Structures are given as C-alpha cells and as structure tokens.
Amino acid sequence: MSQSKVSYKPSDEVDFVIIGSGAAGGVLAKELSTNGFRVVVLEQGPYLTEADFAHNEIDVVFNHQLTNNSKSQPTTFRKTEQDNAKEQYCVMYGRCVGGSSVHFTANYWRFHEIDFVERSRVGEVPGASLTDWPIHYEDLEPYYTKVEWECGVSGLAGASPFDPPRSKPYPMPPLPVKGSGVIFERASVKLGYHPFPAPMAILSQPRAGRSACVNCGFCLGFGCEVKAKSSSLAAMIPLAEATGRCEIRPNCYVHRIETDKTGRVVGAVYFDAKKSSHLQKAKAVVVCANGAETPRLLLLSKSPQFPDGLANSSGAVGKYLMPNSGAIVFATFDEPLNDYKGFAVSRIFHDFYEMDVKKTGIYGGGGLDARFDLTPITFALGALPPGTPKWGTDFKKALRQNFTRTLEIFCHGTSLAVESNSFSLDPDVKDAWGLPALRMTFRDHPNDLRLANWMKDRALEILDAAGAKTKWSGPIQEQQFAVHLLGTCRMGNDPKTSVINTDHRTHDVKNLFLCDGSSFVTSGRGQPTMTIQALAFRAADQITALAKRGEI
Amino acid sequence: MKFQVLTPAQARDVEAIAAQIIPTDDLPGAHEAGVVYFIDQALKTFASESVETYQKGLAELNAMAKEKYPGVKQFADASAEQQHALVQQMSAEAESANLPGGRRPQATKTLNFFPTIWQHTVFGFLVDPSGGGNRDYVGWKVIGRDPAHSFAPPFGFYDKDYPGWQKAMEAEEKK
C-alpha cells in the first residue's frame, strides 16, 4: 500500500520518472526529490511493508512473494547464440518496492582500486572484453562512505589489510560473530589468512527510527520485519516520500520509453495493475530496473529512429553480462552452531582479492565468507551431505543431526565480461502482458570456472584446518542462473563501445539516464550492491548538477 | 477437519506416504505435523496444478499395491513393511526425475508424483506454522530450530567463549 504524500497525474510532466525502486532507484528517488525535483517512481512489484513480511517459506521462497515469477514473466536460457533458448527460471530479482535490496544477504564490500583498472594492470585477457572503468575508486570513495552512513552499514574500519582507503569509519560496529564466523576465523588465521568482521548492510545498533537486527534467522530471501536490513525500502524510500515531492507508484510495469521526433524521451509507458496502459510524462527518465530489465526495456523501446533499441547505437545494450562466479562448500561440526540464528555472514577474508596471474594463471579474484543462509525448508531440500537417504528414518535423523551443526563457506569471485553473454528479447516466448520474454545467453569464461574451483579447494583446506566432521561441495558447473545482473549497459567514454557516460547519461539520448548493475564495466569480486548504491548516489549528484545548469 | 481436495481414501494414502517419508519414532513425524492437511490445502492453493499428479500417482501406487500384495485394497491398508517396500519402489522409479533440491525455487508441475509429494511433505513438516503445516512447531523441534522470533548471542557452542575480534587477533599474534 502506497504511503506517498503526493500523487501526480500521468499527464503531469514531472522532472524525473525513475523506473525501478531497488538499490539504485531508491537512492536516486531520495536524492533527486531531496534536491527539489518532482519525481515519480514506477515499480512493477507491490508495495509491501514490514507488516507483510513473514517467515512463511512457501509464500516467500517458493511462491515468489518478493521476486519475479516465471508463471507470469517467463525467462529463457541458452548457452550460446547458436542454441535455441529453452524456457527456464534463469534470472531472479526483487519485484517489490525496494527491489532486490529487500531480500538480499546484505554483504556490503566496497570495490577495490583494482576493479576499476584491471585491464591496465593485467593486459588483455583472451576471450574476454576486459575494460577499465572511466571512473576510479577515488571518484566513488565519498559515495561508498555516503552509503555506509545514510543507508546504514555495520563494520570495522581497518580490520582488513586489503581494504582500500576510506575517508570515514563505519557508522556502527560489526554485527555479533556467529559460530560459523568463529570457526572460519580460527582456521583462516591458522593458515595465514586475514579474516575480519563482515561489513553488512544490517543495523547493529538502532538508527534513524529503525531497529537493530534481532537475529530472527529469516534473512536471505526474506524482507526484514524490524527494518534492520538496510534495504532501499527501509532506508531510502521513506526519506524520498517525506520530501512531499516523490510519489512511489507500485504495480506499474513499464514496457516502453517513449521518444519524440527530436530523439528525446518524453516519458515511460506502463501497464497498471488492471493492465491499462498509461504514459507518465517526464522531463527526463532514469532507468534503474536492474541489469536484466533495463536492457530489456531499451530493446522493447525500439522505434524507426532507434531501430536496434533505444540508446543502442553501440550495440552494447544487453551484452557483457557478468553474474559473478562462485562456489559453495558445506561442512558439519560435532557441536551445535545454531547458525540459523541471526543474519547470514559474520566473517570474511579478502586474501584472494587479487589473484597472482603469473603464479596461478587465473585472472580476477574473490572473497570467502562463512555463513548459514538457509531456512528449515531450503536446508532440507538442498544442504544434506551427498548420499544421505532422502526419506525415512535416516532422512529424519540427518535433518535432526545436521540442521544446527552445518555451516557454509561461500566463495565469491570475478566474472569476466564476454560480449556474447547477454540479455535479449526472446523471439517466441511472451509474458502475461504479451511482451517478449527475457532471454539469457550465457557461458562462463573458462577463467571464472578455474577461479571458482581454485577457491573451492582453498575453502576445503580451511574446513580441514577447522576440524570439520564432514565437508562436501558439488562440482563447479557452468552457470545457468543469475542474481547479480551486471554489465549489460556498460559505462564508458566511447559511444561506439559503451551505452552510458560517466554521468550515467546514455550516449544517444540526452535526457535518458541508466543506473543499476547494468552500468558496471567489471564485476568486482562478487558483492555488487554496495557499488550499485555508491554509483546511484554519485549519479544523483551528476544529474542534479546537469539539471541545475539546464543541460538536460 | 474436512478435506477440500482429497477424498477420505486419498487422504489416508497421502497421510501414510508422508509418514513413510518422515516417520514417527521417539520423535514426532509428518503425522504429528499435520502434513496431510497442509497438502490438501496446498492442492487447493499454490499447488493446484499438481492435483492431477496426485490423482494419477495415487491410482498407480494402489494398482502396484494390489498387484504386489493381493488382498490389499489401498496403500494405507498395507502393513508397515509393505508400505516401506512400495515407497522404495516408487522412489527408485522416480529417480530419473531427480528429487528437487538446492536453494532455487523449482516448479513442481513438471515433477513426477513421488518428488512432488516428497517436496510437499518436507514443506508441511518444516514450514513456519503460519504456512499451514509444522503443527505446534513439531517439525522445528525435531530439527532443533527454536521457534522464538528473536535471539541474542552467543548462539551456539563455538561462539560462547569468543573474546571479541580485537582480542582474538591479539591472542593469535602472541601464539
């Protein structure tokens, strides 16, 4: 249910229409409305609040209360451009006010300097389109700090020797350590690594009218019922609405960005909850629909003037998809950890953030975290050791023995940009509104599979050092499912090879801006949301300056 | 309680199959968690597309039971040993379909009967009771999940004597 104090008519030409209310859209809504602009945020999902968030795994995890649902919005997948895509649930994102920030794990790592200049440092990587960002860590540093203080991030400055420079400490101390964290920390130190308290976008102390985390244990995949998780919904949307200039309009599915004869956008066309179509007029449009839906919307918005899709003269819209690579390793211990209590992650390390290419032949890098992010049903379905009987007395015994004694080490890593990895429009499959379905084409760069395997082996060594009772991991396979949706409208200085400039303005359309995971040029090491929000705070400053100078 | 989708005879079979998947021993099982009521409700709501799978699956299972054990009218009437053997056979036959797993939501409409009822039994045993199963939190009691809505550290055995990160690191340096 909407709480906005202001409501505009579609025919009112507002200053900005923002498409998507997630990690980026929430920040831009708050910043632009605070800066005096009239803003309409169009969100395809419902407006849920804390009272709607419950612990019912069936509704939330399996019936997609908070995420896109393949029943109404099918997706298709193929490995290469030569294959026929098949219907498959291959992309998951938050579909509610607050977007994916509502259900995320809340690992909030900053990117490091290397992420912006890796191409210059390591040179060309065969089979990849590794490219430097046109902005650098120091450009984003003030905005990382802004995210930590304005959204609310718990952590300990200076705790990792690999951390990039920062201008301010964290606004609050780390969350408490979990059993998984203690076990991981001790074993990692034994092996010479440098574990530290995980920076998390979850409040360790009450802040801005929001509660500290109460460790309810339904975190990843769930909305926070006490506003401790620093989602856009909890941290940004209320401030945007409080300006009296921002309307959050839920259940509005944008399917076209309309342009005029001069090639400027005039607004966004959306289906309301009753499937009636409306044009919300605006002086400028900011698309924050995520790295899958943003390129899809540009491709859906093609016109005689923009035959290959809006803002796609480069042909880069939808390409260079980077979902991050990774591996999950499980272990059980003799005594109860009760790691189901609390948030997911309490300890991480970044010793592998920059792989030694000469020594290992592997580009990029990663980070490891110790966690338990499972709830009773997801645990029973997917976290028992291989070979455990699936039914009967022994199945029940395994559930009883392992639920409180299991931890995971999650290895997060680089995805290299590959041009043919992409989102595009499926030529055959349509969604419930008759629009072409999202088609994903993806095959991991071989380097990323090597990296995932390498990290998996390190994680298994850590579990040996930790004295795990049992440990196991599935084989590293080519990915067919993405939640980190990065790189599909990449930023760059050259209009021939990139979609947006450093102001997040599309090279082709003066009053069209894009900001979300699609803006990324490299994938980082597996935790993108912090950088999505830092980019959004920075984009808001750039866009505000352009607007005030009359340059939009 | 009255069933909405299952006939009384079908409900007896579903109840018996669920009890084979999560049996009652010294601790409660699918029966005490009220799994059959959860499944009946599921078939009326989010799992309505699986109704046919149940109808067909139960009919096939009963045909199998009658053939294998002459005189047995339906699965629920078979002895515990016979039921176990029948589920063994059904689960082996369903092996090619793979039991659902992993952290990803998976549509059940394409699954065979055993994987479907298996998943629904797990759901009904372990869902937060607001979801219609796990009656009196018996499923959570079995797996050791405290039903409380909030917790304070220390959470378990390994963090109970943790001295704090700074002190832990200083102690490691001294080693």
Side-chain angles (χ1 to χ4, degrees), chain A residues 498-510:
Chain A
S498 60
V499 181
I500 58 168
N501 69 13
T502 57
D503 294 331
H504 289 259
R505 168 140 68 185
T506 58
H507 291 301
D508 298 349
V509 182
K510 210 177 170 188

Side-chain angles (χ1 to χ4, degrees), chain A residues 49-92:
Chain A
T49 61
E50 291 66 34
D52 302 306
F53 297 144
H55 293 176
N56 180 346
E57 287 183 79
I58 310 288
D59 283 351
V60 179
V61 181
F62 296 91
N63 293 333
H64 301 282
Q65 186 189 35
L66 308 174
T67 49
N68 58 308
N69 188 338
S70 57
K71 279 184 189 163
S72 50
Q73 292 172 299
T75 51
T76 66
F77 179 84
R78 58 180 185 173
K79 285 195 174 189
T80 73
E81 288 164 344
Q82 283 73 50
D83 302 329
N84 283 323
K86 287 193 186 112
E87 225 176 299
Q88 177 181 326
Y89 194 68
C90 57
V91 175
M92 185 165 77

Side-chain angles (χ1 to χ4, degrees), chain A residues 185 216 390 392 396 400 408, chain B residues 21 25 103 118 142 162:
Chain A
E185 180 179 297
C216 77
K390 283 279 193 177
K396 188 180 166 193
R400 179 167 176 77
E408 304 157 81
Chain B
I21 293 168
D25 39 32
R103 56 189 69 213
W118 179 82
V142 167
Y162 187 74

Side-chain angles (χ1 to χ4, degrees), chain B residues 70-127:
Chain B
V72 168
K73 282 198 186 111
Q74 65 175 97
F75 179 84
D77 294 335
S79 71
E81 289 73 27
Q82 289 169 339
Q83 287 187 4
H84 190 271
L86 285 164
V87 171
Q88 191 94 52
Q89 192 174 340
M90 179 167 57
S91 68
E93 281 173 358
E95 202 175 332
S96 60
N98 279 327
L99 292 182
R103 56 189 69 213
R104 281 173 222 169
Q106 183 170 353
T108 46
K109 69 177 166 188
T110 56
L111 294 176
N112 291 332
F113 176 57
F114 186 70
T116 303
I117 194 170
W118 179 82
Q119 179 166 320
H120 289 161
T121 301
V122 171
F123 282 8
F125 191 60
L126 293 175
V127 70

Side-chain angles (χ1 to χ4, degrees), chain A residues 153-164:
Chain A
V153 179
S154 305
L156 184 61
S160 169
F162 304 101
D163 259 0

Side-chain angles (χ1 to χ4, degrees), chain A residues 406-545:
Chain A
T406 299
L407 64 74
E408 304 157 81
I409 295 183
F410 209 126
C411 312
H412 312 266
T414 301
S415 280
L416 291 170
V418 175
E419 190 180 358
S420 54
N421 287 338
S422 68
F423 286 123
S424 53
L425 303 179
D426 193 281
D428 304 314
V429 180
K430 304 272 186 284
D431 71 9
W433 292 260
L435 302 168
L438 187 68
R439 177 177 64 183
M440 176 169 159
T441 306
F442 187 79
R443 174 168 258 174
D444 301 74
H445 190 287
N447 176 81
D448 303 340
L449 298 172
R450 282 202 297 275
L451 172 66
N453 263 308
W454 188 91
M455 290 193 293
K456 183 185 88 172
D457 291 343
R458 301 295 81 74
L460 290 167
E461 287 166 7
I462 291 167
L463 291 166
D464 276 338
K469 191 175 162 198
T470 57
K471 60 180 195 305
W472 70 96
S473 167
I476 303 295
Q477 290 173 326
E478 289 181 341
Q479 301 188 86
Q480 299 195 23
F481 182 72
V483 291
H484 294 175
L485 311 170
L486 311 174
T488 47
C489 294
R490 51 171 33 181
M491 180 190 280
N493 290 322
D494 184 354
K496 289 199 193 71
T497 58
S498 60
V499 181
I500 58 168
N501 69 13
T502 57
D503 294 331
H504 289 259
R505 168 140 68 185
T506 58
H507 291 301
D508 298 349
V509 182
K510 210 177 170 188
N511 62 339
L512 175 63
F513 299 83
L514 318 177
C515 182
D516 54 29
S518 72
S519 313
F520 284 34
V521 185
T522 60
S523 70
R525 267 61 174 164
Q527 297 304 339
T529 316
M530 171 54 143
T531 298
I532 291 173
Q533 293 206 298
L535 287 172
F537 273 111
R538 183 177 170 279
D541 277 3
Q542 307 295 107
I543 294 168
T544 298

